[in-house]
RNA sequence: GCCUGGGUAGCUCAGUCGGUAGAGCAACGCACUCGUAAUGCGUAGGUCAGGAGUUCGAAUCUCCUCUCAGGCUCCA
């Protein structure tokens, strides 16, 4: 007899040699059908694994993250088998699961490439494999046996050899723990290296779709061969798959590049080159509104406004260390004035250090908070530019705070509160924090400094009471950082503000202040961008709101439509009256049918459409058609609409709220 | 930078076997005068991303460059 403990604490007795599958069957037929794997004492294993007495066990179904993971990993194996059937002699590399899906990397014979049409062929072959109801049979081997099995598979062999030496978590996932090589065999002709577990049979799979082909470097190293990768998604039910595909469509519908064009906000003229945007009048208005609000808040927050030029002699970035670390990411220098090299600035911080250093500073001036909308240029590699989120020219809402070591903790805490509050005003309210620590191999400064900086940031982050995740090794060369991550309206996360601690720049520039002890001291420098870049923040806002911006940020807040052209004069009067309140109002006179003009205004996502006709001219009212509603109000007084707008704008809310 | 796939009117797209350019929307003009998501008619709009080649003839075939998308790598 075997006795196991279930998640609810109860125990279950099974006959000797019973497996996870037997356990599931003993609990109920529905669970037996849903079971994909079993968790034994915290480890995921196959359903076919015999259970040991006293084990803590849990049947894994597709309702859990683990269950979907098993499903997707098994689907990846099926895809590999399909590719090997269609391209005999193909080499297969790794096929892990990722969020919502999986991928698998291959090297095709003759350096052949997958085409989009091949995806359909592979998918058809996968469905055949599913229909064949092939079992996943686990086998364990020694390293030498493993090498023999995969003798003609160089990528698999490399992984097995790596396990003998220094195994990474990724490799162990592919192979297995404890010096054994585990494989899963589907047929005599297809065996894959894998730690497992897998579903019992390919028939358990089926709700998948191959999404796209892409190139990917072997082991992510651009110096190694580029493999052909196929991405797929897989789910337990048809409905879940369809929902996932719908979410992708929704993300596409919100794409800021598409909305930016449709709403006439900005464009990327090819004459300018990749990653260089121009903002049209409406996009320019949005930018101005964001910047004005940000400036006002920074004034209230005790910041001082500075500006700095766009180009500088090389010396500045030599001193700061940027040329040493990031020359690749900077535009090449211009030679001026007999060999002087000038660079476009990729960062604002060294300029702010110079402003700090412009005269003798006293501890009484600290914390000194310098703020600038600073436009920087970074030479992003050609393949990485992406809409407004990854550009070559951008404006940072950058500030650098100089303070004493004693002030550092309080300053960081109030800074974090300031940042979160401002983001909430823009309508983002679901946050978590990420702590990025010392980057191995490219950090400057002593261990003590790094440890202190990391500990300080961590305590401030913890005190903020938000979820905190660790991004080990993700810091900049000069210091660790906290970044605020925000979830948007469709659950995607975006890195927003970053707060970085920096002991290095003040030292490199020999920036000092005179303390109460009449001695020179080095200030701490805190780097902080709130929007990150104005461009990127605009992109995130557009996607978050699907283009339907809150009224205070809408370039055009109100459009006034006359029913007939003899109402035009009244429409202009209403508009003038609202403009005197500072509203952004446009009149569209009656040259086209009303329905057509309403449709146009709706497509432009204007918060309020006002319609004025005979009744309104007579009684001095307006018809109000709010965005997001489908029951326009008639006979509204201009004064009550005015009040509604005042409140909505002051509260930064939207007509649909 | 690398891989895969694109680039035809302002936008979205069609264009067969290589035979010389098309639609809808938008713009402009005229008519229509209308109460909540598309009024009608007309006009104009193109070095088919750019360059070179093959050909009697290229949007179409070949090569190079630019540029966009999806990935990889990178992201101070």
């Amino acid at each position: 007899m075997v006795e196991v403990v279930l998640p609810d604490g109860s125990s279950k007795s099974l006959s000797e040699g019973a497996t996870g599958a037997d356990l599931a069957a003993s609990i109920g037929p529905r669970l037996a059908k849903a079971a994909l794997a079993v968790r034994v004492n915290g480890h995921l294993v196959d359903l076919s694994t015999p259970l040991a007495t006293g084990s803590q066990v849990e049947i894994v179904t597709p309702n859990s993250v683990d269950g979907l993971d098993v499903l997707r990993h098994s689907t990846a194996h099926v895809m590999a088998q399909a590719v090997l059937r269609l391209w005999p002699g193909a080499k297969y590399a790794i096929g892990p699961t990722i969020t919502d899906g999986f991928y698998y990397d291959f090297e095709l014979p003759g350096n052949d490439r997958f085409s989009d049409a091949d995806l359909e062929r592979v998918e058809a072959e996968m469905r055949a494999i599913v229909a064949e109801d092939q079992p996943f049979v686990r086998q364990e081997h020694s390293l030498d046996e493993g090498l023999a099995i995969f003798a003609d598979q160089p990528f698999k062999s490399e992984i097995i050899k790596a396990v003998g030496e220094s195994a990474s978590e990724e490799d162990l996932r592919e192979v297995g723990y404890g010096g054994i090589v585990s494989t899963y065999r589907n047929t005599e002709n297809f065996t894959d290296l894998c730690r497992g577990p897998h579903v019992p049979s390919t028939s358990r799979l089926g709700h998948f779709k191959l999404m796209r082909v892409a190139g990917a470097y072997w082991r992510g190293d651009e110096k190694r061969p580029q493999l052909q990768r196929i991405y797929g998604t897989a789910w337990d039910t048809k409905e879940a798959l369809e929902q996932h595909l719908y979410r992708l469509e929704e993300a596409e519908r919100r794409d800021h590049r598409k909305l930016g064009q449709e709403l006439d906000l900005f464009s990327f003229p090819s004459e300018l080159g990749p990653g260089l945007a121009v903002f049209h009048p409406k996009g320019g208005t949005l930018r101005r509104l964001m910047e004005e609000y940000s400036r006002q808040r920074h004034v209230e927050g005790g910041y001082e406004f500075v500006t700095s030029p766009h180009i500088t002699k090389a010396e500045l970035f030599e001193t700061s260390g940027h040329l040493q670390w990031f020359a690749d990411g900077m535009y090449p220098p211009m030679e001026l004035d007999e060999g002087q090299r000038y660079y476009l600035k990729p960062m604002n911080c060294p300029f702010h250090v110079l402003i700090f250093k412009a005269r003798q500073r006293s501890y009484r001036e600290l914390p000194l908070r310098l703020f600038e909308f600073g436009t920087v240029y970074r030479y992003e590699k050609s393949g990485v530019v992406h809409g407004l989120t990854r550009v070559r020219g951008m404006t940072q809402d950058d500030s650098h705070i100089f303070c004493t070591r004693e002030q550092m903790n309080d300053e960081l805490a109030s800074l974090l509160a300031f940042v979160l509050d401002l983001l909430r005003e823009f309508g983002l309210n679901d946050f978590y924090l990420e702590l990025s620590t010392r980057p191995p191999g490219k950090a400057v400064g002593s261990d003590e400094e790094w440890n202190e900086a990391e500990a300080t940031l961590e305590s401030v982050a913890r005190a903020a009471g938000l979820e905190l995740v660790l991004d080990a090794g993700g810091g900049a060369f000069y210091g660790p950082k906290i970044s605020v991550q925000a979830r948007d309206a469709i659950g995607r996360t975006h890195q927003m503000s970053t707060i970085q601690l920096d002991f290095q720049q003040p030292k490199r520039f020999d920036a000092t202040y005179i303390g109460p002890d009449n001695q020179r001291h080095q200030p701490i420098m805190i780097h902080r961008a709130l929007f990150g870049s104005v461009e990127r923040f605009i992109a995130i806002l557009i996607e978050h709101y699907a283009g339907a911006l809150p009224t205070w940020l809408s370039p055009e807040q109100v459009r006034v439509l006359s029913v007939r052209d003899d109402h035009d004069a009244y429409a202009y009067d209403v508009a003038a009256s609202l403009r005197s309140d500072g509203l952004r109002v446009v009149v569209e006179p009656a040259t086209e049918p009303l329905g057509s003009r309403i449709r146009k205004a709706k497509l432009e996502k204007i918060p309020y459409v006002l319609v004025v006709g005979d009744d309104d001219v007579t009684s001095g009212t307006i018809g109000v058609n709010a965005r997001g509603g489908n029951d326009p109000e008639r006979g509204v007084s201009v004064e009550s609409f005015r009040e509604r707008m005042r409140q909505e704008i002051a509260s930064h809310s939207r007509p649909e709220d």
Side-chain angles (χ1 to χ4, degrees):
Chain A
M1 289 289 278
V2 177
E3 184 144 325
V4 294
V5 183
L6 302 178
D8 65 0
S10 66
S11 25
K12 187 100 191 166
S13 294
L14 301 162
S15 55
E16 196 61 39
T19 65
D22 297 331
L23 170 65
S26 77
I27 296 173
R30 276 175 57 194
L31 185 63
K33 197 155 170 264
L36 295 177
V38 59
R39 184 179 282 284
V40 178
N41 297 329
H43 290 102
L44 283 176
V45 297
D46 295 309
L47 279 178
S48 58
T49 310
L51 301 174
T53 202
S55 303
Q56 191 82 36
V57 297
E58 181 186 351
I59 300 295
V60 174
T61 70
N63 292 328
S64 66
V65 175
D66 287 333
L68 279 174
D69 213 53
V70 169
L71 194 78
R72 288 167 183 155
H73 203 172
S74 298
T75 307
H77 277 229
V78 168
M79 182 168 82
Q81 186 186 159
V83 168
L84 264 71
R85 278 194 190 183
L86 293 169
W87 284 268
K91 309 300 181 203
Y92 51 137
I94 59 169
T97 58
I98 50 174
T99 307
D100 297 336
F102 60 90
Y103 67 78
Y104 215 114
D105 289 347
F106 303 93
E107 185 180 82
L108 298 181
N111 256 327
D112 205 3
R113 311 289 177 199
F114 291 119
S115 69
D116 286 342
D118 289 335
L119 288 186
E120 288 176 34
R121 292 176 59 208
V122 174
E123 220 175 276
E125 195 66 26
M126 287 171 70
R127 297 203 188 284
I129 291 168
V130 167
E132 286 167 23
D133 192 13
Q134 300 176 1
F136 279 87
V137 180
R138 183 186 174 88
Q139 291 172 317
E140 296 185 354
H141 315 271
S142 66
L143 289 183
D144 287 343
E145 285 166 356
L147 287 172
I149 294 170
F150 294 103
D152 60 345
Q153 287 292 337
F155 303 112
K156 299 293 180 192
S157 301
E158 187 176 327
I159 294 167
I160 296 170
K161 282 177 193 149
V163 167
E165 297 149 17
S166 60
S168 68
E169 180 57 26
E170 189 180 42
D171 286 342
L172 287 172
R173 192 183 162 82
E174 291 295 321
V175 183
Y177 292 103
I180 53 136
V181 172
S182 60
T183 61
Y184 280 81
R185 195 184 69 211
N186 288 115
T187 71
E188 282 309 314
N189 297 319
F190 184 78
T191 297
D192 198 355
L193 196 59
C194 191
R195 182 182 67 181
H198 279 287
V199 299
S201 152
T202 57
S203 64
R204 192 64 191 74
L205 309 172
H207 304 288
F208 56 81
K209 183 172 163 61
L210 302 187
M211 303 303 288
R212 53 178 56 100
V213 297
Y217 300 108
W218 169 231
R219 294 183 171 256
D221 183 344
E222 60 183 319
K223 291 181 186 62
R224 308 211 56 184
Q226 185 144 30
L227 306 177
Q228 289 281 298
R229 174 173 299 179
I230 299 180
Y231 284 93
T233 186
W235 301 82
D236 181 47
T237 63
K238 187 161 177 275
E239 293 69 37
L241 174 62
E242 281 169 0
Q243 271 173 29
H244 173 68
L245 296 176
Y246 175 77
R247 280 194 298 275
L248 292 181
E249 278 172 34
E250 179 64 19
E252 203 172 320
R253 195 175 71 75
R254 289 168 177 260
D255 192 315
H256 75 278
R257 293 164 300 182
K258 187 169 173 263
L259 288 168
Q261 179 172 75
E262 286 173 7
L263 303 178
D264 196 18
L265 298 173
F266 53 82
S267 60
F268 293 89
S270 58
E271 290 85 344
L272 302 188
L276 297 168
V278 290
F279 282 77
H280 302 186
K282 285 177 186 166
T285 300
L286 172 57
R287 259 187 99 127
R288 173 175 63 80
L289 295 164
M290 290 169 55
E291 291 178 3
E292 280 173 3
Y293 182 71
S294 167
R295 282 201 179 89
Q296 178 206 324
R297 292 295 304 266
H298 279 86
V299 170
E300 292 163 9
Y303 288 78
E304 318 230 33
F305 290 66
V306 299
T307 63
S308 57
H310 290 201
I311 64 171
T312 170
K313 287 196 288 189
E315 188 188 334
L316 186 71
F317 289 112
E318 277 162 4
T319 304
S320 73
H322 288 100
L323 266 174
Q324 184 189 343
W325 297 105
F326 292 104
D328 286 353
M330 292 169 67
Y331 275 89
M334 296 168 254
E335 298 255 327
L336 302 168
D337 301 337
E338 297 178 27
Q340 277 291 355
R341 289 180 300 136
Y342 279 79
Y343 281 90
L344 279 169
K345 68 170 167 180
M347 294 236 41
N348 301 303
C349 41
F351 296 85
H352 294 186
V353 179
L354 295 185
I355 293 168
F356 179 88
K357 274 186 62 176
R359 62 172 166 79
Q360 184 80 272
R361 296 288 175 181
S362 155
Y363 73 97
R364 295 175 205 272
E365 294 180 74
L366 306 184
L368 181 68
R369 308 182 182 97
L370 303 181
F371 177 90
E372 172 177 16
F373 277 110
T375 302
V376 298
Y377 296 90
R378 297 179 179 182
Y379 181 72
E380 300 285 3
K381 288 199 264 181
S382 65
V384 308
V385 294
H386 179 93
L388 288 178
T389 60
R390 195 78 182 269
V391 291
R392 284 180 169 172
M394 61 176 172
T395 302
Q396 296 180 312
D397 59 332
D398 213 357
S399 86
H400 296 94
I401 298 168
F402 298 86
C403 65
T404 68
R405 243 165 228 260
E406 295 69 44
Q407 291 168 332
M408 177 169 76
N409 202 77
D410 286 353
E411 190 61 24
L412 285 169
S414 67
L415 191 48
L416 191 53
F418 178 81
V419 158
L420 291 172
D421 187 54
L422 202 58
L423 290 176
R424 287 190 180 101
E425 289 296 331
F426 281 92
L428 298 163
N429 43 38
D430 187 1
F431 305 112
Y432 68 93
L433 302 177
E434 196 170 273
L435 177 65
S436 300
T437 56
R438 180 172 196 162
K442 54 188 260 187
V444 294
S446 70
D447 287 350
E448 295 74 47
E449 284 170 337
W450 274 90
N451 291 342
E452 183 188 350
E454 289 177 4
T456 305
L457 281 180
E458 184 173 346
S459 76
V460 167
R462 296 227 178 269
L466 293 168
E467 184 192 342
L468 179 67
V469 298
L470 185 68
D471 168 31
F477 70 86
Y478 49 73
K481 68 179 177 191
I482 298 178
S483 50
V484 177
Q485 311 278 332
R487 289 187 188 86
D488 71 8
I490 55 172
R492 296 173 301 180
T493 62
H494 304 276
Q495 177 175 314
M496 309 299 306
S497 322
T498 59
I499 299 174
Q500 289 181 268
L501 260 185
D502 185 354
F503 297 107
Q504 301 309 319
Q505 301 280 335
K507 196 178 293 173
R508 285 173 162 267
F509 281 93
D510 193 27
T512 57
Y513 65 93
I514 305 296
D517 57 359
N518 201 30
Q519 299 293 307
R520 283 174 188 273
H521 299 275
Q522 208 121 63
I524 305 294
M525 189 172 168
I526 302 170
H527 300 241
R528 185 241 65 172
L530 199 155
F531 294 148
S533 87
V534 177
E535 289 79 2
R536 203 177 97 89
F537 195 71
I538 286 176
I540 291 167
L541 283 184
I542 290 171
E543 302 201 355
H544 177 60
Y545 288 118
L549 293 164
T551 307
W552 73 287
L553 285 173
S554 291
E556 184 180 337
Q557 296 167 310
V558 179
R559 182 166 297 176
V560 187
L561 308 180
S562 47
V563 173
R564 246 186 359 256
D565 60 7
D566 48 324
H567 307 129
D568 285 352
Y570 179 70
Y572 285 108
D573 286 347
V574 169
S577 157
L578 296 175
R579 280 196 200 106
S580 70
D581 265 16
L583 293 173
R584 296 178 290 277
V585 188
V586 172
V587 176
E588 192 180 0
T591 51
E592 281 181 86
L594 182 63
S596 163
R597 285 175 290 151
I598 287 174
R599 178 169 189 272
K600 219 172 104 190
K602 292 289 181 187
L603 291 175
E604 291 176 48
K605 301 183 195 283
I606 293 162
Y608 289 92
V609 178
L610 305 185
V611 174
V612 295
D614 286 331
D615 301 348
D616 300 299
V617 173
T618 315
S619 48
T621 56
I622 51 179
V624 178
N625 186 335
R627 190 181 64 200
N630 40 18
D631 50 342
E633 298 171 66
R634 290 281 297 273
V636 176
S637 79
V638 177
E639 196 42 54
S640 71
F641 179 70
R642 235 193 250 289
E643 184 51 33
R644 174 175 182 174
M645 293 299 280
R646 275 189 210 118
Q647 285 179 13
E648 190 166 302
I649 287 166
S651 64
H652 288 184
S653 56
R654 306 194 297 162
E656 22 309 66
D657 291 338

